[in-house]
């Protein structure tokens, strides 16, 4: 499997990128960092700059057809930048149109709202997104992880970095990488 990890060129919460990435890589699958620009992605630890990560491809240069699943890490600035990038939004929407699994954590559902893929979905997120998700037609729950199979694509969501063990387990299960 090839799994796309989509981030903006800066603002991704580092642990929300690295822990799911390591979980995917540990299964022997191939994670790929896709971004809105070439070069490197600047990660953050909350509001402080952290490490940089090399971009494997951009939304303009790659096709969702090349991937089996999508992971959307959070961070406040990351999904805020993605949701105003038309190519990034179209990239995300394509996974749902194709019925491929998607996993999003923390603030990442902002991008899902912009892609118009949350209506009638049960989801969780960072608590401040509750109103945004509800206004977009989602049913918001305060749980460490939520798996929603209501649409063509399975959607895995989590609230925050503390939920990463639950997120990683559900993500791998839904991506078909661990037994149910």
């Amino acid at each position: 499997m090839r799994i796309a990890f989509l981030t903006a060129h800066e603002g991704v919460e580092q642990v929300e990128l690295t822990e799911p990435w390591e979980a995917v890589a540990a299964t022997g699958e191939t994670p790929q960092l896709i971004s809105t620009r070439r070069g490197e992605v600047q990660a953050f630890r909350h509001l402080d700059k952290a490490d940089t990560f090399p971009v494997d491809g951009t939304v303009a240069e790659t096709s969702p057809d090349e991937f089996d699943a999508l992971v959307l890490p959070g961070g406040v600035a990351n999904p805020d930048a993605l949701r105003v990038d038309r190519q990034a939004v179209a990239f995300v929407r394509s996974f749902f149109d194709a019925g491929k699994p998607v996993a999003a954590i923390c603030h990442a559902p902002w991008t899902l709202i912009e892609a118009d893929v949350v209506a009638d979905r049960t989801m969780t997120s960072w608590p401040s997104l509750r109103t945004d998700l509800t206004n977009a037609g989602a049913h918001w729950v305060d749980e460490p992880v939520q798996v929603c199979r209501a649409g063509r694509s399975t959607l895995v969501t989590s609230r925050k970095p503390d939920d990463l063990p639950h997120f990683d387990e559900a993500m791998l299960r839904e991506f078909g990488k661990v037994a149910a």
Side-chain angles (χ1 to χ4, degrees):
M1 288 183 83
R2 289 187 62 195
I3 300 172
F5 280 70
L6 177 62
T7 71
H9 71 282
E10 66 178 352
V12 65
E13 185 67 31
Q14 182 161 317
V15 70
E16 294 174 6
L17 171 63
T18 58
E19 284 197 21
W21 182 284
E22 291 166 4
V24 166
T27 68
E29 302 305 338
T30 307
Q32 298 282 298
L33 184 56
I34 308 302
S35 189
T36 54
R37 297 182 189 173
R38 292 181 182 191
E40 294 184 328
V41 166
Q42 175 65 63
F44 280 74
R45 284 188 189 93
H46 304 292
L47 300 176
D48 298 321
K49 283 186 176 181
D51 298 324
T52 59
F53 299 89
V55 171
D56 295 309
T58 68
V59 291
E61 299 167 338
T62 60
S63 167
D65 295 337
E66 300 172 35
F67 301 97
D68 301 296
L70 173 64
V71 177
L72 295 169
V76 177
N78 175 52
D80 194 47
L82 288 175
R83 68 183 176 161
V84 297
D85 185 299
R86 289 193 331 227
Q87 288 180 310
V89 171
F91 187 85
V92 170
R93 188 178 308 112
S94 293
F95 281 85
F96 286 87
D97 292 344
K100 296 178 181 181
V102 176
I105 187 167
C106 201
H107 288 79
W110 267 340
T111 309
L112 299 176
I113 291 168
E114 195 64 34
D116 196 25
V117 296
V118 302
D120 302 319
R121 295 286 195 146
T122 300
M123 303 173 61
T124 193
S125 67
W126 184 254
S128 66
L129 275 67
R130 177 183 186 165
T131 300
D132 298 333
L133 284 164
T134 301
N135 287 342
H139 172 70
W140 188 87
V141 295
D142 187 13
E143 298 290 336
V145 68
Q146 180 63 44
V147 177
C148 181
R149 296 181 186 91
R152 290 182 59 199
S153 292
T154 299
L155 177 59
V156 177
T157 52
S158 280
R159 302 172 298 189
K160 57 189 174 183
D162 289 346
D163 297 335
L164 279 164
H166 302 286
F167 179 74
D168 291 347
E169 179 184 345
M171 171 192 66
L172 293 176
R173 184 178 59 247
E174 297 306 318
F175 289 3
K177 300 317 306 168
V178 294

Coordinates of all heavy atoms in Angstrom, one line a residue, residues 77 114 121 128 136 148 167:
A77 N -2.3 25.6 12.1 CA -2.0 26.3 10.9 C -2.1 25.4 9.6 O -2.4 25.8 8.5 CB -0.6 26.9 10.9
E114 N -14.0 21.8 4.2 CA -13.9 22.5 2.9 C -14.0 21.6 1.7 O -14.6 22.0 0.7 CB -12.5 23.2 2.9 CG -12.3 24.2 1.8 CD -13.2 25.4 2.0 OE1 -13.5 25.8 3.1 OE2 -13.7 25.9 1.0
R121 N -21.8 12.4 8.8 CA -20.7 11.6 9.3 C -20.7 11.8 10.8 O -20.9 12.9 11.3 CB -19.3 12.0 8.8 CG -19.2 11.8 7.3 CD -19.0 10.3 7.0 NE -18.5 10.1 5.7 CZ -17.6 9.1 5.4 NH1 -17.2 8.3 6.3 NH2 -17.2 8.9 4.2
S128 N -12.6 22.6 19.7 CA -13.0 23.9 19.1 C -13.6 23.8 17.7 O -14.2 24.7 17.2 CB -11.8 24.9 19.0 OG -10.8 24.4 18.2
A136 N -21.5 22.0 9.4 CA -21.2 21.3 8.1 C -22.0 20.0 7.9 O -21.9 19.4 6.9 CB -19.7 21.1 7.9
C148 N -16.1 6.1 11.2 CA -17.4 6.3 10.6 C -17.4 5.6 9.2 O -16.5 5.9 8.4 CB -17.7 7.8 10.4 SG -19.3 8.0 9.7
F167 N -5.8 6.3 17.7 CA -5.9 6.7 16.3 C -5.1 5.8 15.4 O -5.6 5.3 14.4 CB -5.4 8.2 16.1 CG -5.3 8.7 14.7 CD1 -6.5 9.1 14.1 CD2 -4.2 8.9 14.0 CE1 -6.5 9.7 12.8 CE2 -4.1 9.4 12.8 CZ -5.3 9.8 12.2

